[in-house]
Amino acid sequence: MLASLKRRDQRARGEWYISGLLSVPGRKSMRALASVAGYGAAEQSLHHFISDSSWDWDKVRHTLARHLDRVLLPQAWVLSSMAVPKAGAHSVGVEESFRTELGRVVNSQQAYGVWLANEDMSAPVNWGLFLPPGWLDNEERRKRAKIPDEVAAASPELCAVNTVVELAGGDWGLRRRPAVLDARELDATALVEEFTRRGVPFVMRVGGSTRLVGFDLSLPGRGERLFQAQQLIEWAKRFSRPVGWVDPDYSITRSILVSGTRVTMPSIRRPGSPGMPERALTLVGGWSGSKGQPPELWLSNMVEVPPVALLRLGRLTRRVAKDFSEVSAKVGMRDFEGRSYAGWHRHATLCSVAHAISVLSSARRQGFDKSQELSA
């Protein structure tokens, strides 16, 4: 993973850092990580390696992604948001706002990670850090955080999309997979427009109030009227069928009703077209069986893929949420204490390597245990 680091001392510090992320209990402060190296100057040395060194985190991410693409055989690229609470106002990108995943107004950084995921495991390979206008328009703050000149202002939606689109570049060498994300706290229309413009296949979770144009033959005023997503999928529920789904939290198979209907968004519909729009979408609904619970809604531009398969892809977000909680959080993904833009990205990169080592080692141990049981 660290072969792209040309200097031997950089590779050694990278190994110390990752070893510390994997072995040090609790919060991964620079002092705690330095204890792995075993000498007094290690803390300053590691701080320089992360915040002020010259090594390119993109090359490490490329190597990690290519390796995981081979061994995980991912079904999707799952885009997941991460809020990082901060006490002060000097960490790059920090601002005070309401964070849904934390359930309160908090001073925090907002980041987006792209994970290679299948139903058994997942691991992050790329990260984007959202920088509010207050950081990009303030020359003093930019200089203090060492934000590169080429980093321009972008909405949270564009930041998220760019983090996915980067993986499709030739430097990464990956087989393209659909992007999967929970877009209920983002502007779904903006995301659909950006993914459509970039030619990216997607499956995104949307809220029940999302406004869509329906094209089901039984709909009144079909192709002309706007409906809420929940209305459209309730009309389609009569065509639903039960399917099995493996819950990653309990490793058991659950039953869920699934249905789908063809829709589009007003902003991407061809004007004057009475029939099916050129850029049609599929709206998928999933009912867990719990009375009174609203359906789980997913929107996709992969209209030829069956609704059941789209729902399975969408639910990979649960796999990622579980792995973030049980692995990434424990190897220090939220623990970076520095203030620089490059330092944050280098820390996130090495945490991603530590995460991959953890999940692959665990899978290898489980495979060994199963083989031992079979031989016995």
Side-chain angles (χ1 to χ4, degrees):
M1 294 299 103
L2 303 179
S4 62
L5 278 64
K6 296 179 180 180
R7 289 166 40 187
R8 182 183 300 175
D9 64 313
Q10 290 179 337
R11 294 194 295 273
R13 290 184 180 91
E15 291 177 11
W16 295 344
Y17 203 87
I18 294 169
S19 296
L21 294 173
L22 289 167
S23 62
V24 171
R27 186 171 181 80
K28 308 301 189 289
S29 68
M30 198 66 74
R31 177 170 296 180
L33 296 176
S35 67
V36 175
Y39 64 86
E43 182 178 351
Q44 183 177 354
S45 177
L46 286 183
H47 178 78
H48 180 272
F49 170 71
I50 293 296
S51 297
D52 299 315
S53 188
S54 60
W55 62 275
D56 185 352
W57 62 83
D58 275 338
K59 291 182 179 179
V60 178
R61 293 181 186 182
H62 296 172
T63 303
L64 175 64
R66 285 193 290 268
H67 178 70
L68 291 174
D69 194 49
R70 291 192 300 270
V71 299
L72 255 64
L73 300 178
Q75 296 166 273
W77 296 343
V78 177
L79 179 64
S80 179
S81 65
M82 177 180 71
V84 185
K86 292 291 181 180
H90 299 294
S91 296
V92 60
V94 72
E95 70 170 351
E96 190 174 271
S97 61
F98 181 82
R99 301 301 188 194
T100 303
E101 57 264 55
L102 301 177
R104 65 184 190 278
V105 174
V106 63
N107 195 55
S108 66
Q109 297 167 312
Q110 183 67 38
Y112 297 94
V114 183
W115 298 56
L116 304 191
N118 59 36
E119 292 183 344
D120 297 317
M121 69 182 79
S122 63
V125 297
N126 196 31
W127 291 93
L129 181 64
F130 172 64
L131 298 177
W135 279 88
L136 294 174
D137 298 340
N138 187 311
E139 288 301 322
E140 182 180 346
R141 295 182 94 183
R142 284 192 75 126
K143 183 178 180 180
R144 187 170 62 237
K146 301 178 182 178
I147 299 173
D149 293 340
E150 63 269 20
V151 177
S155 65
E157 290 76 18
L158 185 56
C159 177
V161 171
N162 286 341
T163 308
V164 174
V165 170
E166 286 175 3
L167 268 68
D171 292 342
W172 290 78
L174 304 181
R175 293 163 290 182
R176 180 167 290 202
R177 296 288 186 264
V180 174
L181 68 153
D182 188 336
R184 287 176 294 174
E185 301 301 324
L186 294 169
D187 185 336
T189 300
L191 286 168
V192 169
E193 290 176 346
E194 279 298 326
F195 280 131
T196 300
R197 186 173 68 84
R198 310 285 190 94
V200 176
F202 65 82
V203 182
M204 68 172 67
R205 190 169 183 180
V206 296
S209 61
T210 303
R211 308 288 283 180
L212 299 168
V213 179
F215 286 84
D216 190 295
L217 294 175
S218 64
L219 288 177
R222 66 185 180 88
E224 300 172 3
R225 288 180 51 193
L226 283 173
F227 297 89
Q228 291 188 344
Q230 186 160 340
Q231 288 178 292
L232 289 167
I233 209 64
E234 289 291 350
W235 275 315
K237 188 175 182 179
R238 64 187 183 277
F239 301 114
S240 64
R241 63 188 185 92
V243 297
W245 168 74
V246 178
D247 187 337
D249 289 327
Y250 302 99
S251 298
I252 60 175
T253 301
R254 299 185 183 276
S255 180
I256 184 170
L257 288 174
V258 180
S259 185
T261 186
R262 198 64 57 86
V263 300
T264 191
M265 281 191 156
S267 61
I268 64 172
R269 182 176 171 228
R270 285 187 302 168
S273 175
M276 191 66 69
E278 181 181 15
R279 293 174 175 173
L281 305 169
T282 296
L283 177 66
V284 177
W287 293 263
S288 64
S290 302
K291 291 185 179 180
Q293 289 293 320
E296 188 178 315
L297 301 172
W298 295 88
L299 193 65
S300 176
N301 58 353
M302 298 188 292
V303 294
E304 302 304 323
V305 177
V308 171
L310 293 175
L311 183 73
R312 287 184 185 277
L313 286 173
R315 288 202 158 192
L316 290 175
T317 54
R318 300 192 181 195
R319 174 80 262 170
V320 167
K322 177 180 174 65
D323 289 347
F324 179 87
S325 175
E326 296 184 355
V327 184
S328 271
K330 292 182 179 179
V331 298
M333 190 63 79
R334 286 195 175 114
D335 292 351
F336 181 57
E337 297 176 339
R339 298 176 177 180
S340 74
Y341 178 86
W344 186 92
H345 274 282
R346 293 194 181 105
H347 173 80
T349 300
L350 297 182
C351 284
S352 299
V353 175
H355 177 110
I357 291 171
S358 181
V359 297
L360 294 178
S361 297
S362 177
R364 193 173 296 117
R365 285 194 300 270
Q366 291 174 8
F368 176 78
D369 291 342
K370 289 180 180 179
S371 65
Q372 290 292 90
E373 290 176 8
L374 289 173
S375 63

